[in-house]
């Protein structure tokens, strides 16, 4: 079978090597499309492939109809909001993700960004410490759980809310469970977002919610830009000079946010899963899932059933 690795943001070289070894070892052919700048490149690359491995690459109805032989697409990563699932079903293509494979990398970045933020972006003036601060984790999935694990090392006071994870599971991992989002924002000095972008969560981080935070509140986003109501967050940051917003996903209104000097930071390009380890974990998991699909019809990680 012909497998296309289509990554506008390429994997580390070692990950590509590992993916190729897995697939070529099972007699599949691997082709690579990296750093493409135009959708037309993707449309011609997909024309004759049976399977694809992608990252945040946008796979819409036009891509599905151009990919006449496509049977499976694996998103090497967690979030699959970049794939048009209705179009995948209409075109009879299995869509899978690789849950958990890059979650440690994202969790580590949370703390890299947080220390940077609470030390005043290394401006030389006295900052503060994470120890003893109340950390709120919004969504207790693979990334949220890793954030909790690392936060324990910083001796933070950790709270979490997840609409789909029972309180007893959260409590069992040594984290205080709260009843809803509002309670989390009200209680915590720092709230770390780990919710996917869905119709329920889009723009859900809004003026009223963030305004519940205590003085000096920090929102850190390593999830998706779509969950932020940017207009309302900008309004709140104008009304409250103590609120900080730190993000790994550049907002649409980046220029507006950049006016909040010392209170806003965005990485230039999403960096959460950009480690050699995360790329290899997610990429090789994707390759193995494709191998299993063609060998035995295995669809354990299917997300478009
Ligand atoms: C994910 O959903 O797995 C992360 O957001 C990483 O995305 P990326 O592969 O585009 O870096």
């Amino acid at each position: 079978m012909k497998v296309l690795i289509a990554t506008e943001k390429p994997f580390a070289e070692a990950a590509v090597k590992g993916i190729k070894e897995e697939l070529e070892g099972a007699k599949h052919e691997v082709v690579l499309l990296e750093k493409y700048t135009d959708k037309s490149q993707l449309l011609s690359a997909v024309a004759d492939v049976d399977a694809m491995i992608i990252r945040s690459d946008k796979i819409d109805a036009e891509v599905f109809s151009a990919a006449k032989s496509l049977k499976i697409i694996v998103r090497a990563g967690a979030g699959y909001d970049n794939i048009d699932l209705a179009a995948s079903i209409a075109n009879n293509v299995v869509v899978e993700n690789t849950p958990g494979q890059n979650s440690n990398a994202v969790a580590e970045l949370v703390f890299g960004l947080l220390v940077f933020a609470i030390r005043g972006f290394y401006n030389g003036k006295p900052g503060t410490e994470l120890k003893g601060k109340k950390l709120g984790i919004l969504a207790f999935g693979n990334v949220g759980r890793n954030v909790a694990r690392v936060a324990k090392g910083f001796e933070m006071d950790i709270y979490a809310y997840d609409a789909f994870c029972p309180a007893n599971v959260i409590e069992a991992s040594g984290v205080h469970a709260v009843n809803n989002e509002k309670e989390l924002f009200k209680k915590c000095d720092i709230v770390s977002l780990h919710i996917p972008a869905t119709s329920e969560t889009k723009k859900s981080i809004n003026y009223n919610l963030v305004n519940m935070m205590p003085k000096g509140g920090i929102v850190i986003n390593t999830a998706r830009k779509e969950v932020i109501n940017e207009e309302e967050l900008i309004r709140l940051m104008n009304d409250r000079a103590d609120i900080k917003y730190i993000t790994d996903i550049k907002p649409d209104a980046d220029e507006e946010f950049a006016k909040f000097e010392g209170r806003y930071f965005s990485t230039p390009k999403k960096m959460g899963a950009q480690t050699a380890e995360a790329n290899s974990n997610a990429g090789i998991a994707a390759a193995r899932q494709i191998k299993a699909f063609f060998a035995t019809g295995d669809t354990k990680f299917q997300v478009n059933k």
Side-chain angles (χ1 to χ4, degrees):
M1 297 290 169
K2 189 167 178 179
V3 184
L4 171 70
I5 306 173
T7 47
E8 182 271 321
K9 182 174 64 179
F11 288 121
E13 256 175 58
V16 175
K17 192 167 169 273
I19 294 169
K20 281 188 172 165
E21 276 167 11
E22 281 291 334
L23 290 165
E24 289 170 353
K27 304 275 176 272
H28 297 298
E29 180 194 352
V30 178
V31 284
L32 193 58
L33 175 70
E34 286 182 331
K35 288 190 191 169
Y36 54 91
T37 48
D38 200 273
K39 191 178 179 184
S40 60
Q41 296 169 274
L42 180 63
L43 292 175
S44 51
V46 299
D48 61 346
V49 301
D50 302 283
M52 283 172 79
I53 296 176
I54 59 157
R55 296 185 65 177
S56 291
D57 305 79
K58 202 166 169 33
I59 308 298
D60 60 14
E62 194 183 3
V63 179
F64 280 109
S65 57
K68 298 270 177 269
S69 316
L70 189 65
K71 293 153 195 78
I72 179 167
I73 178 159
V74 183
R75 192 287 192 238
Y80 44 87
D81 48 304
N82 49 321
I83 305 171
D84 183 334
L85 292 188
S88 72
I89 292 165
N91 286 276
N92 216 11
V93 176
V94 168
V95 176
E96 299 187 358
N97 66 349
T98 63
Q101 299 290 346
N102 58 20
S103 49
N104 180 65
V106 180
E108 286 190 13
L109 185 73
V110 167
F111 292 90
L113 290 172
L114 275 180
V115 172
F116 179 51
I118 66 169
R119 297 294 182 102
F121 306 114
Y122 304 150
N123 63 1
K125 296 182 187 155
T128 57
E129 299 180 16
L130 291 177
K131 186 175 176 178
K133 295 259 174 1
K134 288 185 165 55
L135 172 69
I137 301 174
L138 185 56
F140 208 60
N142 289 307
V143 181
R145 286 165 209 225
N146 274 285
V147 168
R149 174 180 56 78
V150 180
K152 284 178 194 163
F154 279 98
E155 295 185 39
M156 299 186 79
D157 190 12
I158 316 163
Y159 296 80
Y161 173 70
D162 188 317
F164 304 98
C165 179
N168 63 318
V169 174
I170 293 175
E171 297 275 351
S173 48
V175 171
H176 308 291
V178 296
N179 295 316
N180 50 51
E181 282 185 355
K182 285 182 186 164
E183 217 181 291
L184 195 73
F185 278 80
K186 225 175 197 165
K187 231 180 186 78
C188 295
D189 305 300
I190 298 164
V191 174
S192 189
L193 307 176
H194 302 291
I195 43 178
T198 65
S199 48
E200 288 82 36
T201 64
K202 281 182 186 166
K203 291 188 190 263
S204 65
I205 309 303
N206 57 24
Y207 187 105
N208 289 338
L209 198 57
V210 182
N211 196 25
M212 288 179 181
M213 293 189 84
K215 194 168 177 341
I218 301 175
V219 175
I220 176 158
N221 184 6
T222 53
R224 289 290 180 272
K225 71 175 179 185
E226 291 82 0
V227 303
I228 304 289
N229 186 324
E230 293 186 7
E231 206 185 304
E232 293 195 15
L233 185 56
I234 289 168
R235 187 152 58 81
L236 177 70
M237 288 174 77
N238 274 315
D239 290 354
R240 276 184 61 176
D242 60 309
I243 295 290
K244 285 194 174 91
Y245 180 52
I246 312 299
T247 182
D248 185 34
I249 316 98
K250 206 179 263 306
D252 293 334
D254 176 53
E255 279 183 22
E256 285 288 300
F257 279 105
K259 290 178 189 152
F260 299 113
E261 227 190 300
R263 295 200 286 137
Y264 166 73
F265 177 79
S266 172
T267 53
K269 196 153 192 170
K270 193 158 75 131
M271 292 293 298
Q274 275 299 58
T275 66
E277 294 89 338
N279 285 181
S280 288
N281 291 345
I284 292 170
R288 288 185 180 149
Q289 287 171 217
I290 287 172
K291 259 170 53 177
F293 174 79
F294 287 121
T296 64
D298 183 280
T299 54
K300 184 172 168 208
F301 295 99
Q302 187 171 359
V303 295
N304 66 338
K305 276 185 183 144

